[in-house]
Amino acid sequence: MFRTALRNVLAHKARLLMTVLAVMLGVAFVSGTLVFTNTISDAYQKSSAKGFDQVDVAIQPKAQDDKGDKVGKEQKLTQALLEKASKVPGAGSTMGVVTGFTAIADKDGKLVGSGFQSQGGNYWGTKDARYPLTSGHAPQGKNEVAIDSETARRAGYKVGDTVRLSVDGPVLAPTVAGVFTTDDGNVAAGGSLALFDTATAQQLFHRVGEYDEIDVKAASGTSQTALRAALDQVIPKGVASTTTGKQLADDQASSIASAMSGMKTGLLVFAGIALFVGTFIIANTFTMLVAQRTKELALLRAVGASRRQVTRSVLVEAFVVGAVAAVAGLLAGIGIGAGMRSLMGSLGATVPDGPLVISPGTIATALLVGVLITMLAAWLPGRRAARIPPVAAMSSVHAQATTKSLVVRNTIGALFAAAGIAVVLYATTMNGSDGQAPMGLGAVLLIIGVFVLTPLLSRPLIAAAAPVLRVFGVSGKLARQNSVRNPRRTAATASALMIGLTLITGMTVMAGSLQKSIDKMASSAIKADYVVSMANRVPLSPEVAKTLAGLDGVTDTSPLRTSPSRIDGTSEMLAGVNGESIAKLTDLTLDEGAFKVGGTQVVVDDDTAKSHGWKAGSDLTVSYEDGKKQRLTVAGIYQGNMMINGIMVDNATLSPHLTDVADMQVMLKTADGTSDATKNKLEKALGNNPAVQVQDKKDISNNIAQMFTLLLNMLYGLLAMAVIVAVLGVINTLAMSVFERSQEIGMLRAIGLDRKGIKRMVRLESLVISLFGGVLGIGLGVFFGWAAGELVGSKMSTYELVLPWGRMALFLLLAGTVGVLAALWPARRASRLNMLSAIKSE
């Protein structure tokens, strides 16, 4: 039986090729994902580990617990603490570390690197071992800065050049004193690093006389654990904590692995979808191969082969096919992993140098996935073949599915589909995250139900295309009949395409609806002409608001300041605003009371008010971050949203209690409204700062649109793998179908149907099956998009369903195109069959 199985594999090489390709693509995606994420993770971990070479023990500030009415805040690492640490036995050298956001502009005034990875810090003394200088000298004074070599290369800076940069708003123009190399992970990821002398860095980052961290290097012969124990003896309890350099490196490695796990999981989900779609193809292929060898298998049974041996022979075929596909997929995946890393570089993302990581786990996973998926998909056809009685198989009595089996299948499918719809509908009545798990379960049940019911659904839906197919005469009529001749095969082929289009359509509906809803929220909540903020959402200097308020033509401004507080024993964030102007800059719906912010009067969003049981006129006692308390009165309650919410307090009331006064953003109105000239005037007043964004409502909407478009394009690209696998399925099914119908095609040729007619018949059959899958996929996608939107709507009052009719039409056209292209080779093969040989074939 083993030799028979191997002979069958070799006898059907061409027919198994599509199955090999389908499995190979799925395995390539899985192994490529693992190689890529492992390589990037390993490179970052080794790079970050180098960054801790100069740190044996790090002293970091502790945060107070926010208990009772006390607001938690970080303790301070002072110069006195640094000096105390430097005198500990076993301490070799000690340095204070200051860090903060610093945006560097290139020579064209544009931000260098990613805003969230634009960092600044201090250069310790005249020779900092962390940052070896390649040219120039250490920065000295507020008019000098050192920049990393990658930033210098990308922006074209050299020692002696003047560089424009920003820390919290105002533009600075120091001279490049030095260029250094670094193993900093942010720089490796495409960011930038600017270093000032320690005093300047402390002043710029609001840390005068303080440090964010104190790093201690052990003297020769002193271990990290011994040094840490000695430091713990002299550091006041509750002020700071100590961590060894090894622990920091391990924590950083764990953090990188955790960050990469999200990407890895996301990519593996799409690889799983591709493999899931491929399962249909494998099952289809083996079902057809087994059906074609029914008499052969019956003869084996007649001469003594048991049912298990027949099933085992089919599984041996599947094992060989799966093993070949898995090995090919692993090799292709290694190439994909290397290609994805190179692609990151071509897209401007910098990755630390390091070898391509092909772990034993990746190899084992690729081989296991390929073989298991193939054998699982082939098990049912093999088992079905083994159960056919030899006499029935030889006389082809088994060929048609019994009425009982169809009734059982349709009943099971109807139960699954009904349960899925019921669970999804129930999930839409729940709030936000509570409904996610039930909705996921319902979606799985519904997809399974529809898949099981697809043979039943194929007849009426394909029959609906009959009037159009009649236009093509005999070819069209034959194509319709062929499409429904074997409903199970048609269903398996269409389902592969259905899965991909369901996901694509559902995500498109969700993205379009969310974009429209957020646009609506922005336009309805904000009356300000412009919103000014930092590129990476760090706080702005208060000088920005003062500069804007003093400009001609600016009628109203309100900086937004946030501060933690304690109210009734719980943490609440206060939003400081300009009480006189905020009502003119926002358009919030008031539920009760009056929109008055000033003195001790505040306004509160509806969710916060509900959680505390507040009404208009309620009094509350707030504990500010400096520990002082004040009695405030709720003047009004407004409907909050994702853009504006919280407890609004007048800045005149809040600012005296802030440790560092800084603004998250500034809203403003101008006499002339929005225009390019007004925007240019505002940007010029702020020094054409690359780190500061001046946005009107249209800019905010465009940014949102760009995010959704980028996300959708990435998802489309990932789902393209599933669609490609589905195309292979259509080609496979048609090729096998043509082989099965060789005698029939020969007869059609003999009675007068020409080669063009045969090609047209096969193409129309493929088109009908693909459009059938497309209609099911788009229908399910719209349903899931609507259901997911209901969950979002429970948290977003402006949410409304938007059906992207244009894109859905494009998806249907894509399904049709898939059908036409997939039929090219099978149609050509059918038309070239020798009619006499075909008529004689069995």
Side-chain angles (χ1 to χ4, degrees), residues 259-328:
M260 293 301 296
S261 69
M263 179 191 294
K264 181 186 292 186
T265 302
L267 291 171
L268 287 175
V269 164
F270 289 98
I273 293 168
L275 284 168
F276 182 62
V277 172
T279 303
F280 293 121
I281 300 172
I282 300 164
N284 233 3
T285 302
F286 278 93
T287 298
M288 289 185 279
L289 286 174
V290 168
Q292 290 167 13
R293 300 207 314 270
T294 301
K295 289 186 178 181
E296 177 188 324
L297 294 175
L299 183 60
L300 289 172
R301 289 287 314 282
V303 297
S306 66
R307 288 184 177 182
R308 286 186 178 180
Q309 285 179 309
V310 170
T311 303
R312 203 176 297 139
S313 71
V314 175
L315 291 178
V316 167
E317 289 182 52
F319 175 81
V320 173
V321 171
V324 171
V327 171

Side-chain angles (χ1 to χ4, degrees), residues 186-207:
N186 287 317
V187 174
S192 61
L193 181 61
L195 300 178
F196 309 89
D197 67 28
T198 300
T200 302
Q202 287 175 323
Q203 183 179 8
L204 290 174
F205 302 132
H206 308 288
R207 284 279 191 270

Side-chain angles (χ1 to χ4, degrees), residues 279-396:
T279 303
F280 293 121
I281 300 172
I282 300 164
N284 233 3
T285 302
F286 278 93
T287 298
M288 289 185 279
L289 286 174
V290 168
Q292 290 167 13
R293 300 207 314 270
T294 301
K295 289 186 178 181
E296 177 188 324
L297 294 175
L299 183 60
L300 289 172
R301 289 287 314 282
V303 297
S306 66
R307 288 184 177 182
R308 286 186 178 180
Q309 285 179 309
V310 170
T311 303
R312 203 176 297 139
S313 71
V314 175
L315 291 178
V316 167
E317 289 182 52
F319 175 81
V320 173
V321 171
V324 171
V327 171
L330 174 61
L331 295 175
I334 293 170
I336 288 173
M340 288 174 72
R341 176 173 173 169
S342 300
L343 181 63
M344 287 186 69
S346 65
L347 294 175
T350 307
V351 180
D353 292 331
L356 201 65
V357 178
I358 307 166
S359 67
T362 299
I363 297 172
T365 301
L367 296 176
L368 195 64
V369 166
V371 172
L372 277 182
I373 290 291
T374 310
M375 292 184 71
L376 285 174
W379 175 76
L380 191 59
R383 185 170 176 271
R384 191 183 298 134
R387 295 179 66 179
I388 300 170
V391 175
M394 287 180 181
S395 59
S396 298

Side-chain angles (χ1 to χ4, degrees), residues 42-184:
D42 181 71
Y44 277 122
Q45 286 176 15
K46 287 180 178 176
S47 176
S48 66
K50 290 180 184 177
F52 295 110
D53 287 346
Q54 303 301 318
V55 183
D56 284 319
V57 178
I59 303 172
Q60 298 165 323
K62 271 190 175 180
Q64 291 179 342
D65 294 330
D66 51 346
K67 295 179 180 178
D69 290 329
K70 293 183 179 180
V71 179
K73 56 183 178 180
E74 267 192 358
Q75 296 286 354
K76 298 177 180 179
L77 302 184
T78 62
Q79 179 67 26
L81 183 61
L82 183 143
E83 292 173 359
K84 184 182 288 188
S86 66
K87 297 175 182 177
V88 168
S93 60
T94 310
M95 69 173 68
V97 178
V98 184
T99 58
F101 169 72
T102 303
I104 300 176
D106 61 20
K107 293 185 177 180
D108 295 325
K110 296 180 181 178
L111 182 66
V112 177
S114 169
F116 286 93
Q117 295 166 330
S118 301
Q119 296 294 315
N122 67 312
Y123 191 95
W124 187 256
T126 57
K127 189 175 182 180
D128 194 327
R130 299 171 299 171
Y131 309 113
L133 290 167
T134 58
S135 61
H137 59 82
Q140 298 174 0
K142 62 181 181 180
N143 293 321
E144 288 189 349
V145 66
I147 60 176
D148 68 271
S149 55
E150 276 299 307
T151 299
R153 181 185 61 79
R154 280 181 287 166
Y157 286 124
K158 60 182 183 296
V159 173
D161 288 345
T162 298
V163 58
R164 296 174 68 252
L165 53 84
S166 172
V167 171
D168 57 4
V171 176
L172 307 174
T175 300
V176 177
V179 176
F180 59 88
T181 59
T182 177
D183 293 312
D184 188 280

Side-chain angles (χ1 to χ4, degrees), residues 203-216:
Q203 183 179 8
L204 290 174
F205 302 132
H206 308 288
R207 284 279 191 270
V208 176
E210 301 172 19
Y211 301 100
D212 293 297
E213 182 176 298
I214 296 173
D215 293 339
V216 185

Side-chain angles (χ1 to χ4, degrees), residues 513-526 587 641 643 697 701 704 796-801:
S513 301
L514 281 171
Q515 183 180 323
K516 178 71 179 293
S517 304
I518 294 174
D519 287 351
K520 186 178 177 182
M521 184 188 298
S523 60
S524 63
I526 300 174
D587 189 15
N641 55 54
M643 302 189 75
K697 284 187 277 192
S701 296
I704 294 168
M796 185 186 293
S797 59
T798 57
Y799 183 84
E800 64 175 275
L801 181 67

Side-chain angles (χ1 to χ4, degrees), residues 372-501:
L372 277 182
I373 290 291
T374 310
M375 292 184 71
L376 285 174
W379 175 76
L380 191 59
R383 185 170 176 271
R384 191 183 298 134
R387 295 179 66 179
I388 300 170
V391 175
M394 287 180 181
S395 59
S396 298
V397 174
H398 71 287
Q400 297 297 323
T402 64
T403 303
K404 180 182 177 182
S405 70
L406 291 174
V407 170
V408 170
R409 179 185 178 118
N410 293 338
T411 302
I412 293 172
L415 289 174
F416 268 95
I421 292 172
V423 174
V424 169
L425 292 177
Y426 170 70
T428 60
T429 64
M430 304 174 74
N431 287 327
S433 57
D434 294 338
Q436 289 179 4
M439 184 162 291
L441 173 64
V444 171
L445 291 174
L446 179 54
I447 288 176
I448 292 172
V450 170
F451 169 66
V452 175
L453 284 174
T454 307
L456 179 66
L457 297 173
S458 64
R459 290 185 179 276
L461 287 177
I462 291 176
V468 178
L469 292 174
R470 286 196 193 101
V471 176
F472 298 95
V474 175
S475 297
K477 183 179 180 180
L478 290 170
R480 184 183 67 80
Q481 292 174 349
N482 291 334
S483 301
V484 295
R485 177 183 295 181
N486 192 332
R488 293 189 178 188
R489 185 188 303 168
T490 297
T493 306
S495 295
L497 195 57
M498 178 191 78
I499 299 295
L501 286 178

